[in-house]
Amino acid sequence: MLIELRPGTPAEVAEEVAALAGAHEDVTAWPISLSGRVFVVVSGDESLARVPASPAVLARRPTPDGHWLVRRDSGVAPREVTIGEAVGGPRLWWAAGPCALESVEDAVETALAVRAQGAHALRAGLSKTRSSPYHFPGKGVRGLEALAEVRRAAAIPVITEVCDPREVEAVAEVADCLQVDGRQLDNRPLLAELGAQPRPVLLMRGSRASLDDWLRAAEFVLTRGNAAVVLCAGASGTPPQPGFGAIAALRARTDLPVVFDPSHSTGSASLVAPASLAAAAHGADGLLIESCLKPERMYRPGDAAHMFPTQSLADLVAACERARDSARSLAVPR
């Protein structure tokens, strides 16, 4: 449940309402401020929560499906989130780079190359949720210094993954955006910790996650006070296939920006271009593309197979913008 307080409610009053609402041992409550509005989040047995008869209380917001803040009709979720440039703005936002940060020298060269192609950010994972324990798991927090070096040398915002809630604060000091793998959607401590950080969160969809699962994960971040969430669509279903339909489906349910990962969703560099064009035509706000100047040097051959040629990125994005504009011009009103 959410208790919405009147705009401009002082922090001390919001804390008092939260203390009363969460007075029972089986209820926890805390105040948050999002999009200029003030809420008290109530977690636990709602029947035991007390909604005080205070002039500060504006409305009680039931949350039967587990997500209200992210809903379009709530008016809370932002339409644009800034990661270098606005995601959800008039231009197609995009980021590119290697799946995992490996060689610093190679990463710097790639970062400079993708920036020259017009990328708004570099993707370079520090922690990877692999399907096998024998695959390279990423450098983890040991790679933070290397990531900071790449960011400084290339003068480009960086997006990196984090899997452990204990590492979120340290990673947030270096990265401009924190990425959550789709396998981590149920990692509630991680999502809560991300919500406490002043960094955008890129939330990947798990291949078996429903739209409600995905939106509830985003709600976890928002209920901790961070509304800067970008949803990233990819493959879904069994066997996994590019989930273009999720882009349009989300448009009807939330204002949060939606980007698409054509690399992991297809698993092949040869399919990145058609998948990117399809995502743009479906209305994606941006693309998250895997690219590396020297894929043959990557630790894991499977990662190298995803790498789209860096020198062709600008042409791909320009084609995607044309596809998006064409689709919009032909759109039939709902």
Side-chain angles (χ1 to χ4, degrees):
M1 177 178 69
L2 289 161
I3 302 171
E4 183 166 6
L5 306 183
R6 297 189 183 280
T9 297
E12 58 271 21
V13 175
E15 290 284 358
E16 290 173 4
V17 173
L20 287 169
H24 194 280
E25 62 180 4
D26 292 330
V27 179
T28 303
W30 62 93
I32 58 170
S33 178
L34 293 170
S35 303
R37 294 162 70 179
V38 183
F39 299 90
V40 169
V41 181
V42 180
S43 176
D45 188 340
E46 292 184 10
S47 66
L48 300 175
R50 293 174 56 195
V51 181
S54 167
V57 174
L58 180 63
R60 175 175 173 160
R61 308 291 186 188
T63 55
D65 54 8
H67 50 82
W68 186 85
L69 294 168
V70 300
R71 281 169 33 179
R72 165 174 276 185
D73 57 5
S74 76
V76 176
R79 183 66 190 90
E80 295 184 10
V81 172
T82 300
I83 308 174
E85 296 288 340
V87 190
R91 294 184 57 200
L92 187 72
W93 176 93
W94 65 283
C99 177
L101 176 66
E102 297 179 8
S103 160
V104 174
E105 180 182 349
D106 290 351
V108 170
E109 289 183 10
T110 295
L112 290 169
V114 301
R115 191 189 71 176
Q117 290 282 308
H120 301 116
L122 172 78
R123 69 176 297 173
L126 285 180
S127 300
K128 309 300 298 182
T129 308
R130 299 295 198 183
S131 56
S132 168
Y134 305 109
H135 292 163
F136 177 58
K139 294 180 181 292
V141 291
R142 295 180 294 107
L144 282 174
E145 186 175 338
L147 185 67
E149 183 179 341
V150 173
R151 185 179 183 275
R152 284 193 303 268
I156 189 172
V158 297
I159 301 168
T160 197
E161 283 184 47
V162 60
C163 301
D164 190 328
R166 295 168 297 183
E167 299 175 354
V168 168
E169 186 173 356
V171 177
E173 291 181 0
V174 175
D176 298 274
C177 175
L178 306 179
Q179 179 180 330
V180 179
D181 184 85
R183 299 181 185 93
Q184 297 286 343
L185 287 188
D186 290 329
N187 189 339
R188 304 313 194 196
L190 173 64
L191 298 174
E193 194 64 35
L194 289 166
Q197 296 298 323
R199 293 291 190 207
V201 175
L202 185 72
L203 200 58
M204 314 284 286
R205 182 188 185 185
S207 61
R208 298 181 181 179
S210 68
L211 293 186
D212 281 325
D213 294 334
W214 199 8
L215 291 172
R216 274 192 291 269
E219 189 88 355
F220 262 87
V221 179
L222 268 73
T223 57
R224 296 294 174 170
N226 185 359
V229 174
V230 176
L231 302 173
C232 185
S236 60
T238 307
Q241 297 291 328
F244 304 120
I247 300 169
L250 285 172
R251 281 280 176 267
R253 302 183 65 177
T254 183
D255 278 333
L256 289 174
V258 184
V259 302
F260 187 78
D261 182 341
S263 303
H264 280 116
S265 64
T266 62
S268 171
S270 64
L271 297 176
V272 166
S276 298
L277 290 165
H282 276 79
D285 293 304
L287 299 169
L288 190 69
I289 306 168
E290 289 196 3
S291 184
C292 182
L293 286 176
K294 297 175 181 176
E296 71 279 359
R297 292 173 55 168
M298 302 187 80
Y299 297 152
R300 183 171 178 261
D303 289 345
H306 300 171
M307 299 298 124
F308 188 78
T310 305
Q311 68 273 17
S312 300
L313 285 167
D315 290 338
L316 171 61
V317 173
C320 288
E321 288 181 327
R322 291 193 296 271
R324 187 175 70 161
D325 292 343
S326 295
R328 286 176 173 175
S329 68
L330 297 170
V332 177
R334 291 174 182 247

